[in-house]
Amino acid sequence: MEHLARERPVLILLDDLQWGEATFLDLVEHLVHLSRSAPILLVGLARPELLELRPAWPGLKVGLEALSGPESAMLIQTLLGERLLDERSRGRISAAAEGNPLFLEQMLAMLAEDQPAGELAIPPTIQALLGARLDRLEAGPRGAIQRASVIGQEFWMGALRELSPAVEQLGSSLLELVRAELIRPHDSTIPGEDAFRFAHILVRDAAYRALPKQERADLHERLATWFERLDMSRSLQHDEIVGYHLEQAFRYKTELGPANAETELLARSAGERLAAAGRRAYLRGDTPATVNLLGRAGDLLPARYPGRLELLPDLGAALMEAGDLERASILLDEAVQHAKPGAASLASILRQMIATQQDYDLPPEALPELDAAISAFESEGDQRGLARAWLLRGEIHNYLGEREQMGVAAARSAEHARRAGDHRAEAEALRLFGGALVYGPTPVSAGIVRLEEILAGGGSNRMVEAAVIAPLSALKGMAGDLDRARELVRRARRIYDELGLTFQLARLGFMSGRVERLAGNLEGAAQEFRQGCELLQAMGERGRLSGMAIELTNVLADVDELGEAEAWLSIAEDAMGPESAAQSFDLRASRARLAAARGEPGDETLAEEVRAQAAASDDYTWRADALCNFAVSSLASGRALEAEHFLRDALAVYEAKGDVVSAARVQALLDRLASERPA
């Protein structure tokens, strides 16, 4: 659209926006927000329920109110033209319409067809009026418009012919419907097919309601057959359209009687079509569509049908990313118990990943099961399975704070995902790989080069792009390029938001909060960490919640918000569990930092233990941050020399990492302490 607008101003008209899929509505919002400099006017029509779905819908919103009395009178006169109608009848029609222009249009069209000899009968509602208009049609046009309503707001001559008796003269029936202004010729979206469109969606609804359920079911099934024969091989929606009509046929037939062999076959055919469409949505990263299509397929297919059990891992993965961990767990447990070995192993891996999110403690059976799954996937050459298995291995190293091994496992996962063509799994692996570069021993400059190389060769997949630029933002911040870091955060957030990746949006807080903290914007950092924590809490996620709550605690202590800091520290401890909390290096550091802010003395016995723990960790970023927290605690307790030791250790780690911003901050504090030291 921006390209077109370089040549001339562009006007875009969108109708019936309330029916747009979530991803399409995201695209419209994206266009509005990011094309402000281009001469583009976007006009959308929608029912009020759009604003119920999207309260923050952008742009100027204009409500179409009912016509006033004078406006109704003007429209009536315009529609009448040279025809005559007495004032009393005009007044009755205007009153019944209550300012609805469609009512006026259809009422006067009905009068033009058949001027009443006696008292004018005015239907009480627009639905009754449209029903009356359809009832007055001859059998041929009435049957044609009812069958056309099954096809949709737009319909094609070939599809209507498929649904009509062979002897019917469709041409004359359609001409009569055009003359009655119930349908209109329309540009066709199918090559070689003449197309028509209902004059209004309520006309289509009235025609559809007039069909008995049994006839609707039969027509939907026949229409699916027509679409199956149609050459739509290049249409991404082919399976979705066929699946929808088979699904409708199944629904109506089961409403009319108990399930039988015929309805079971319909359900299976519909489910398989929707599953195929859902898998394509999964691979292109459209999470809302994946959940919708695979969820409907799962509802249609028999409980123990192999095709249904095989789709559960993909549906579970999509639900994880959408933030619905509870439903994902239920479906993955079902696949673990009943699916074939490959799908069951994949579901088991995903289920373990959820377990680490819902509970900080790693299940004891995780590693043995993972090793067995990797061996099985290798023997079968299952690249998707290997991608997921190595991703879980990376998450386990992440949980254990082993950043270098986390990066190795994530890199292997990304390679297997690329071979499988699974961009979603590749994006998850690269996100984890980027995290290893941010927190582990890799120097900042080397990490930036590596991620920029991946970004340059990553193609156009937006999930992969966001997975790379999120950690890249933190590395750019550490290098001192804070404007670029913030720009990358904004891009990553926009992509995750548009793709419906709630879990990734929550985890972005680790990077965005760090960028704001590096920039010295502590209030902004607190807001980023807080937003991430709240999203994780809403999902029931605990594994990452503890780490982000600790980050938030540290920032809140820095801005003297001690009450809220204490609350988030308690949340972090609760998410970890007593045993893990007692051993957590960064949690103990935050507790010491908070105690110092309250003016409480620190624990001297911790010093040597803490320095030994820090030296053994390859989590450079959190290790240095924690050392700084202990330094603050030591200063508050009057142990300046101990504080200097902690700060020098932290400075050495920051310098080895290449975090020039944090190193400069620590050096400035050391210089201040040196200047304050007695001569």
Side-chain angles (χ1 to χ4, degrees), residues 503-524:
F503 189 27
Q504 311 296 6
L505 193 62
R507 290 196 286 198
L508 180 61
F510 280 113
M511 304 302 167
S512 60
R514 181 161 294 276
V515 167
E516 292 306 316
R517 191 172 188 183
L518 287 164
N521 178 17
L522 298 182
E523 294 288 352

Side-chain angles (χ1 to χ4, degrees), residues 460-504:
S460 59
N461 188 274
R462 304 188 73 217
M463 286 187 300
V464 171
E465 178 188 356
V468 174
I469 63 177
L472 182 59
S473 69
L475 291 172
K476 287 286 188 180
M478 292 175 178
D481 191 352
L482 293 164
D483 289 340
R484 176 64 172 157
R486 284 169 161 163
E487 178 193 341
L488 292 170
V489 166
R490 288 192 294 270
R491 277 173 60 191
R493 176 174 288 118
R494 189 165 59 241
I495 293 171
Y496 285 144
D497 189 41
E498 289 170 3
L499 296 180
L501 302 177
T502 306
F503 189 27
Q504 311 296 6

Side-chain angles (χ1 to χ4, degrees), residues 255-273:
E255 288 178 15
L256 293 168
N260 53 37
E262 179 188 3
T263 56
E264 288 175 4
L265 181 60
L266 262 180
R268 188 174 303 176
S269 299
E272 287 173 345
R273 286 289 194 165

Side-chain angles (χ1 to χ4, degrees), residues 333-344:
D333 284 342
E334 183 182 354
V336 170
Q337 294 174 27
H338 302 291
K340 291 181 179 178

Side-chain angles (χ1 to χ4, degrees), residues 419-452:
R419 292 175 187 173
D422 189 339
H423 295 304
R424 186 182 296 266
E426 181 184 2
E428 290 182 46
L430 290 175
R431 174 199 53 76
L432 196 64
F433 179 71
L437 296 180
V438 170
Y439 294 105
T442 303
V444 166
S445 57
I448 290 174
V449 170
R450 185 71 188 96
L451 289 180
E452 287 182 338

